Amino acid sequence: LAYLRAIARELVWYKMNEFHVHLSDDVLFSNFRYAAFRLQCDSVPGLTAKDGSYSKAEFRAFAKECAEMGLNVVPEIDTPAHAGPLLDVRPDLRGGWHHLDLANPKTLPFVKGLLDEYLAGDDPVFAGPDVHVGTDEFGAAKPELFRAYADALFRHVRSYGKNPRAWGSFSHAPGQTPILADANVVIDLWHNKFYQPQAALAAGYSLISVPDGSNYIVPGASYYHDYLDVAGLYRAWEPSNIGGEKIDANHPRLLGGKFAIWNDLVGNGITLDDVFDRFLPAAQVIAEKTWAAASPRSWETFKAQAEKIGEAPGLNLADRVTLDGNGRVDLAANRSVGWSQQGGWTVEFEIRPDAAPEPDAAVFADDFTTVKLSQGKSGKFGFSRDGYDVTFDYAVPVGKWTRLKLSGTPRETSLWADGRLVKAFAPEKRYYPGEKRWLYAIYRTLHFPLVRAQANAFRGEIRNLTCRLGAERASAGE
């Protein structure tokens, strides 16, 4: 939640006014499955994710804090597709793949009851004016049931005085069943096959432009964007351009535009640092294009100005460093160094262990990352961050001085020992088992902590620690 709070402040710094928080989703491949519901739930035993969740009290407080800054938190519980977490606890409601069975008379009451937990009372958990009910990517085989389901959820949210929101899906599910539609029902238009922009306007909805082909990020994926094409967006996109279809830029029900970061690829090494590296340039450009669709500045001028504006005051999610009077990294003034400046970082030091390291013996550490003399029980040098462990095939000799050099960029982390390259961890292409069309990349990036570890510290000495901006080249053949 501390990270969400920081992202909220970054959004406010760029005068964005909404933060859409996706609280429930799943990953489904033939031989890999992961699902999680990230919000405390008392009404459905077992639904709350065991590997990380927000309490109701802290999520409510978060939404209120954001509102005080002018930022509207829009919470989403996505159904009837992407319903893996719900189906894990209610398999009797399964309607195929990751879909709820809309023909089952128990389905709608169950979902309404789940929403009630966060909408009811004088001080609801969903404290803001808007609640997103999903409706994303449901199969088209039962359009009338889907339309009736969407209508029921819209009206249920409205009964609590909230404005319903949903992903545009109604061109994908044509039918006769009416769906609540007025200017206070907001549709995220993400793919024109699922809902045509003109059809959504004709129905009476308000719209937000988030075309998947240009505005979706999936870190490390081979589909959508790993990083947004921010230069292309700056030059050619505006909210009225929805998947190549233009609507009236001044239409009163075109509310604006946004971008989405979907962390679909569980287990591929993507960290909060990696996500932020993708977030910031996207936020800068989308802010510019939603405030002024046609900017008179060149891309180069805008890019320089965005670099100057940087992060919100008091925040440093990119771990940018301060320099001393001689232009060198000031080790006393910095807890860590990231790869956002001058192409990365390079850290060198000499180390002499007094004894074989204990498991996970730490050398440097901050709140997020630990550089280790022994990764686990391996006895090999490595690092851990955001739940991921990275191990170099190298054991630091005991009882003698060894000079280690590490270097990092947004794509690569490298280690040298006494001038010899041990390993350069670059993005590693893989397929999910049984899914040859789903290529993704494993990342092993590192923001280096410049603080000696206190907990579980290794036994030995370190001397001659230096840090400089700029990465050492470690590509094949060099």
Side-chain angles (χ1 to χ4, degrees), residues 201-257:
L201 282 176
Y205 293 113
S206 291
L207 312 180
I208 294 176
S209 173
V210 54
D212 63 335
S214 58
N215 293 33
Y216 272 23
I217 299 170
V218 182
S222 58
Y223 59 97
Y224 292 131
H225 297 275
D226 188 7
Y227 286 78
L228 287 191
D229 175 12
V230 288
L233 285 170
Y234 181 82
R235 293 183 175 113
W237 182 78
E238 57 187 73
S240 60
N241 180 355
I242 305 175
E245 182 173 335
K246 292 279 290 185
I247 63 175
D248 180 4
N250 297 309
H251 197 291
R253 285 187 278 114
L254 175 61
L255 303 186

Side-chain angles (χ1 to χ4, degrees), residues 171-373:
S171 295
H172 186 59
Q176 302 304 310
T177 303
I179 308 171
L180 176 66
D182 58 43
N184 291 319
V185 180
V186 180
I187 302 296
D188 287 321
L189 288 180
W190 70 280
H191 195 296
N192 293 2
K193 181 184 75 172
F194 280 83
Y195 206 2
Q196 289 287 335
Q198 294 294 349
L201 282 176
Y205 293 113
S206 291
L207 312 180
I208 294 176
S209 173
V210 54
D212 63 335
S214 58
N215 293 33
Y216 272 23
I217 299 170
V218 182
S222 58
Y223 59 97
Y224 292 131
H225 297 275
D226 188 7
Y227 286 78
L228 287 191
D229 175 12
V230 288
L233 285 170
Y234 181 82
R235 293 183 175 113
W237 182 78
E238 57 187 73
S240 60
N241 180 355
I242 305 175
E245 182 173 335
K246 292 279 290 185
I247 63 175
D248 180 4
N250 297 309
H251 197 291
R253 285 187 278 114
L254 175 61
L255 303 186
K258 63 184 179 184
F259 68 101
I261 300 178
W262 302 107
N263 290 290
D264 288 2
L265 302 176
V266 176
N268 69 333
I270 291 291
T271 68
L272 299 181
D273 293 325
D274 295 303
V275 171
F276 185 74
D277 198 53
R278 290 152 173 79
F279 162 86
L280 184 59
Q284 291 169 327
V285 166
I286 298 300
E288 176 76 4
K289 300 298 290 192
T290 48
W291 272 99
S295 176
R297 296 177 291 185
S298 69
W299 162 247
E300 290 72 24
T301 301
F302 168 78
K303 185 178 179 181
Q305 181 71 4
E307 174 69 17
K308 181 179 178 181
I309 293 171
E311 293 190 51
L315 291 180
N316 187 17
L317 297 187
D319 289 334
R320 298 173 71 91
V321 296
T322 56
L323 305 179
D324 63 20
N326 297 312
R328 294 190 291 261
V329 175
D330 188 340
L331 294 176
N334 298 282
R335 287 185 55 83
S336 56
V337 60
W339 19 252
S340 61
Q341 289 182 330
Q342 299 182 11
W345 54 262
T346 300
V347 170
E348 296 188 58
F349 57 92
E350 293 176 279
I351 185 169
R352 185 180 68 184
D354 291 340
E358 298 291 327
D360 291 314
V363 183
F364 299 96
D366 61 15
D367 294 337
F368 300 98
T369 303
T370 303
V371 175
K372 301 176 181 179
L373 191 63

